[in-house]
Amino acid sequence: MVLLVSTASELVDWRATIPGQRIAFVPTMGALHAGHVRLVERAREIADVVVVSIFVNPTQFGEGEDFERYPRTLDNDMKLLGDLADVVYAPNVDDVYPPDAPPLAKTAGPAGIGFEGAARPGHFDGMLTVVNRLFDIVKPDVAVFGQKDAQQVHLVRRLAIERGGPEIDVVRTVREDDGLARSSRNRYLSPEEREAAIAVPDSLRAVSAHIDSGVAAAVRAGRAVLTAEPLARLDYLELVSPADFTPVDDTFHGEATLVVAARFGTTRLLDTETIIVP
Ligand code: PAF
């Protein structure tokens, strides 16, 4: 039976009932889909108990990003989770951001300014602030994140190092049969845009196929896939260093992170892959 709680103090009471057990945590903003389920399954594999949070965090939405209209589907989310989670923490804003004791505000710094940070100024400061606060509330041993939000993963790993925990476990992107990464945003694509969106995973494949010709040539090949698709507007496609999330060039060798973002109508899709640069 899943325990649904809405306050940090209920979590304190619950933790007192499970001394010594390893807690895995999956933070979410709800509107759950198969990608989230995979994260929760992974959490179950690596811990004794699993906590999922469902909280649409106001501080990571910028102006015009419509925090109010973000889908809130708690009943469906609970059904989808079934018995996979032990506890679902679905707080209101005041529980996460108590007006009399505001949580420590975190800043992403230079690694949060490019890519998603450029498209969504302030987003990563808000994301880090809430993740830090949720870590304080849930006190997990390990937290599970999806690979698809590569810049978020980079920043959360750094946060966890700063704080001295939790461990961060990253789960490979769950894809549709045609390769499109599962995302809450896919529901906003028209049928034509959905068909065109295959250009995103195709661009990843193109980079991989051309990497033996060097970073610049591979990046050009990946971008060409998206610029050739009339319904796509390429935002960025870069190979970045996992160390500091800055673009690498032809002098780089080793494991790089390929990040891509493209718009289809009003929907912005992200994807990522690890690429070994020979
Ligand atoms: O990836 C998300 O859904 C959010 O950024 C997170 C980590 C739940 C923080 O609000």
Side-chain angles (χ1 to χ4, degrees), residues 25-30 36 39 53-61 70 97 120 123-124 126-128 130-131 134 144-146 149 152 156 184:
F25 175 44
V26 183
T28 81
M29 298 211 301
H36 295 105
L39 302 186
S53 65
I54 296 182
F55 177 62
V56 185
N57 172 36
T59 68
Q60 68 188 77
F61 286 77
Y70 194 86
Y97 298 109
R120 307 179 66 189
H123 165 74
F124 286 122
M127 181 281 293
L128 283 177
V130 80
V131 168
L134 291 170
V144 183
F145 287 83
D149 296 310
Q152 170 165 285
V156 167
S184 317

Side-chain angles (χ1 to χ4, degrees), residues 52-131:
V52 174
S53 65
I54 296 182
F55 177 62
V56 185
N57 172 36
T59 68
Q60 68 188 77
F61 286 77
E63 261 174 52
E65 284 194 331
D66 236 342
F67 160 71
E68 301 299 339
R69 279 183 45 207
Y70 194 86
R72 285 156 175 90
T73 57
L74 185 60
D75 288 347
N76 276 343
D77 294 346
M78 294 299 289
K79 274 192 207 123
L80 194 64
L81 287 173
D83 283 339
L84 270 181
D86 295 284
V87 178
V88 173
Y89 171 53
N92 61 32
V93 173
D94 281 0
D95 201 57
V96 178
Y97 298 109
D100 51 344
L104 193 64
K106 288 281 173 187
T107 46
I113 290 170
F115 306 107
E116 286 314 282
R120 307 179 66 189
H123 165 74
F124 286 122
D125 296 347
M127 181 281 293
L128 283 177
T129 299
V130 80
V131 168

Side-chain angles (χ1 to χ4, degrees), residues 168-275:
I168 303 299
D169 192 275
V170 179
V171 172
R172 272 188 74 75
T173 304
V174 177
R175 297 182 179 279
E176 305 288 354
D177 289 345
D178 64 0
L180 183 68
R182 290 268 171 101
S183 163
S184 317
R185 297 178 185 173
N186 294 353
R187 71 183 72 182
Y188 303 122
L189 297 168
S190 70
E192 298 73 26
E193 289 164 354
R194 171 64 188 80
E195 214 170 294
I198 184 70
V200 177
D202 282 351
S203 72
L204 302 184
R205 283 190 277 264
V207 172
S208 187
H210 289 80
I211 197 63
D212 288 349
S213 312
V215 166
V219 164
R220 266 198 310 277
R223 289 179 185 160
V225 172
L226 282 155
T227 47
E229 169 48 61
L231 292 187
R233 265 184 304 136
L234 173 63
D235 201 340
Y236 59 77
L237 182 149
E238 288 288 355
L239 274 164
V240 300
S241 155
D244 58 5
F245 225 81
T246 57
V248 299
D249 60 22
D250 278 326
T251 61
F252 181 90
H253 303 285
E255 198 175 285
T257 306
L258 173 60
V259 286
V260 57
R263 283 172 209 270
F264 295 80
T266 54
T267 308
R268 199 154 167 281
L269 299 182
L270 308 185
D271 210 338
T272 189
E273 200 46 88
T274 299
I275 302 280

